[in-house]
Amino acid sequence: MPNSTQSPYLLLANIGQLLTLRGANVPRRGRDLQEIGLIKDAAVLCGGGKILAAGPQRELLRDPWLRTNRKKVQELDCRGQVVIPGLIDCHTHPVFAEPRLVDFERRIGGAGYEEIAAAGGGIRSSVAAVRKSSRGELSKKVLAALNAMLEQGTSVVEAKSGYGLSVEDEIKSLQAIRDAARQWPGEVVPTLLAAHVVPQEYGGKADEYVKKVCEEMIPLVAKKKLAQYVDVFCDRGAFTQEQSEKVLAAGRKHGLGTRAHVCQFTAAKLKPLLEHQPASFDHMDCVQPEDVSLLARGETVAVLLPGANYFLGHKDFPDARRLIDAGVPLALATDYNPGTSPTPSMPFVMSLACTHMKMTPAEAIAASTINAACALRMQDRKGSLEAGKDADMAIFDVKDYREIAYWFAWDRCAEMVVAGKLMGLGKR
Ligand code: NIG
Ligand code: FE
């Protein structure tokens, strides 16, 4: 954990490969997704939590300020390791109490996700335990997940509620996120996902529940400033297109940003949802051709979640190449949750993106840094290593950046810098 006696200045020296991801603060599309701003034999100087300079070490060490103040600067010898921007996990569901082992075994026995959900498993089966848990118990679990994410290179996490499904339990879930975030060195972006599924007690009266979400939950959460975004699960077995639009419209009306789970199992019409200016559309396994060209013209980021396809045992993965080649901005995220993706590891997700979605290692890194920052609308501060941006960096114990996605399920993250402070993970 951060050492309070650290100097406000930190120099990362002897970096073998520095991936700056420098460039305009806009989502990278098409061929630009390959542009990772690689500098060999590099150094990064941080001060006051920000990047002061990042570039070739020979140039950086000539800096007059650094030459006179070198003694004031804490130094980390990276010994030829690889440094990239802190990874940004732009889609997670960390507020749950128990793993879903019954669903896991049913799927092994051949049942499908939707079939299990319809038979009483799925999202609804995580709700009772969350309702029974205290805010303190939930925040401990959220913090444990955030720490596991940090260990593997992540410094920004979007965190959704969505297993409370009542005014009280959704508020409790968002408070648990806030409590955990206060004890975590990275940054957390909270999202209200009250419209995850219709809770049991509504007996299938989805419109009634949507009314509750729009007229009670969203206004209250906005008033308490507990979330930055509102999300909705728009799919078969969850909410219809019309219901989803109502949720997003209510979010916007109350000053929240919007994002949506769409096209995981069935295609949605994205045009009407785009009216609500979503920062991201997430999953995107089955997108219609006319929607691909629509997205290529807009700013909404498609967040692909291959951890869910992997864990559900799907043969198919989102068609990243089709989206990239059409010019749709893409990001990657873990989708950390108990039902479809219980992994905190962005490097594992990047590996899946390479092996199953044919993204290159460079594309996977850009999709997990600058484009993920765009998916959270934080690209002015996060996602690349350039003077003025937040000094969030992941140091990997590899010689070549392509190894980050290559060594799958092997934790190669050696050290983290968050807001200019060394985390001291003790793994170097
Ligand atoms: O992103 N698709 C909706 N929500 C989650 C699954 C949550 C769960 O099964 O608990 C997802 O995959
Ligand atoms: Fe999700």
Side-chain angles (χ1 to χ4, degrees):
M1 282 299 108
N3 176 349
S4 52
T5 62
Q6 278 182 17
S7 153
Y9 297 102
L10 174 68
L11 176 70
L12 299 193
N14 301 322
I15 298 169
Q17 292 186 343
L18 174 69
L19 272 50
T20 61
L21 278 298
R22 67 193 162 196
N25 286 332
V26 293
R28 310 286 156 87
R29 304 162 194 261
R31 295 178 69 83
D32 289 348
L33 194 61
Q34 302 266 10
E35 298 301 326
I36 51 176
L38 171 69
I39 303 173
K40 288 187 181 157
D41 304 318
V44 179
L45 179 64
C46 319
K50 302 284 178 190
I51 305 276
L52 299 178
Q57 175 151 307
R58 282 219 328 245
E59 272 172 36
L60 208 126
L61 295 184
R62 280 203 295 265
D63 179 273
W65 181 90
L66 187 57
R67 286 168 74 156
T68 37
N69 292 281
R70 190 83 183 250
K71 285 209 182 79
K72 283 193 208 154
V73 176
Q74 185 189 5
E75 198 167 314
L76 182 77
D77 180 356
C78 293
R79 303 187 312 252
Q81 292 174 325
V82 171
V83 175
I84 68 172
L87 296 168
I88 297 178
D89 192 346
C90 61
H91 180 141
T92 83
H93 308 244
V95 198
F96 58 88
E98 303 289 348
R100 284 224 301 276
L101 302 173
V102 174
D103 292 15
F104 184 45
E105 286 199 315
R106 275 192 204 151
R107 266 199 313 278
I108 293 166
Y113 179 79
E114 293 183 83
E115 187 188 338
I116 292 169
I123 295 164
R124 280 184 203 90
S125 64
S126 286
V127 172
V130 165
R131 289 184 177 175
K132 258 190 254 141
S133 301
S134 68
R135 168 174 165 183
E137 285 163 343
L138 292 173
S139 88
K140 263 192 205 146
K141 297 208 159 138
V142 175
L143 184 59
L146 293 174
N147 284 334
M149 290 167 183
L150 182 77
E151 286 276 330
Q152 301 217 35
T154 299
S155 53
V156 176
V157 174
E158 185 264 7
K160 305 173 199 295
S161 65
Y163 297 107
L165 310 185
S166 69
V167 177
E168 196 190 342
D169 296 299
E170 286 295 302
I171 297 273
K172 179 177 72 181
S173 298
L174 290 170
Q175 284 168 334
I177 291 172
R178 193 177 58 189
D179 294 346
R182 286 184 174 150
Q183 299 171 66
W184 193 60
E187 207 162 312
V188 178
V189 176
T191 294
L192 173 69
L193 178 56
H196 203 181
V197 284
V198 182
Q200 209 84 57
E201 63 273 16
Y202 276 76
K205 290 190 195 126
D207 286 330
E208 233 174 76
Y209 181 63
V210 167
K211 201 161 183 267
K212 184 102 178 165
V213 171
C214 295
E215 292 176 12
E216 276 189 54
M217 297 196 202
I218 290 173
L220 191 59
V221 163
K223 190 166 149 237
K224 289 180 176 284
K225 296 194 187 333
L226 278 167
Q228 288 181 32
Y229 286 95
V230 68
D231 193 348
V232 59
F233 184 12
C234 176
D235 219 316
R236 190 167 60 201
F239 296 93
T240 64
Q241 182 100 31
E242 293 68 33
Q243 290 161 346
S244 301
E245 280 180 53
K246 282 189 185 153
V247 172
L248 299 186
R252 284 244 289 161
K253 182 173 154 204
H254 292 276
L256 300 177
T258 62
R259 48 201 329 114
H261 283 71
V262 283
C263 303
Q264 184 177 11
F265 302 111
T266 54
K269 287 195 195 73
L270 298 183
K271 195 165 180 210
L273 293 171
L274 279 168
E275 299 288 312
H276 307 282
Q277 296 179 8
S280 69
F281 281 146
D282 302 47
H283 283 288
M284 305 292 274
D285 291 73
C286 35
V287 192
Q288 286 165 337
E290 62 270 25
D291 284 340
V292 172
S293 39
L294 200 60
L295 289 172
R297 281 179 263 131
E299 293 289 303
T300 301
V301 177
V303 176
L304 308 186
L305 307 164
N309 300 66
Y310 165 80
F311 191 68
L312 294 179
H314 289 175
K315 176 169 75 19
D316 293 324
F317 282 72
D319 195 348
R321 286 262 57 96
R322 168 178 167 235
L323 296 172
I324 294 168
D325 296 344
V328 177
L330 286 196
L332 292 168
T334 61
D335 196 15
Y336 174 71
N337 78 75
T340 66
S341 191
T343 179
S345 173
M346 283 298 292
F348 178 56
V349 166
M350 287 153 68
S351 186
L352 290 175
C354 294
T355 54
H356 289 276
M357 296 170 9
K358 307 302 174 207
M359 289 173 69
T360 65
E363 288 173 333
I365 289 173
S368 306
T369 54
I370 187 67
N371 275 20
C374 293
L376 298 177
R377 300 201 168 132
M378 299 173 101
Q379 66 270 33
D380 292 343
R381 286 192 294 123
K382 306 280 184 189
S384 67
L385 302 177
E386 296 170 277
K389 281 210 170 177
D390 292 353
D392 296 345
M393 288 172 272
I395 304 169
F396 281 86
D397 185 18
V398 292
K399 293 248 169 300
D400 185 305
Y401 73 87
R402 292 172 295 186
E403 293 179 69
I404 296 170
Y406 170 91
W407 298 107
F408 84 94
W410 183 329
D411 177 15
R412 289 283 181 156
C413 179
E415 180 58 288
M416 290 293 290
V417 174
V418 180
K421 292 202 171 75
L422 268 181
M423 293 293 103
L425 298 183
K427 297 196 288 182
R428 295 183 80 243

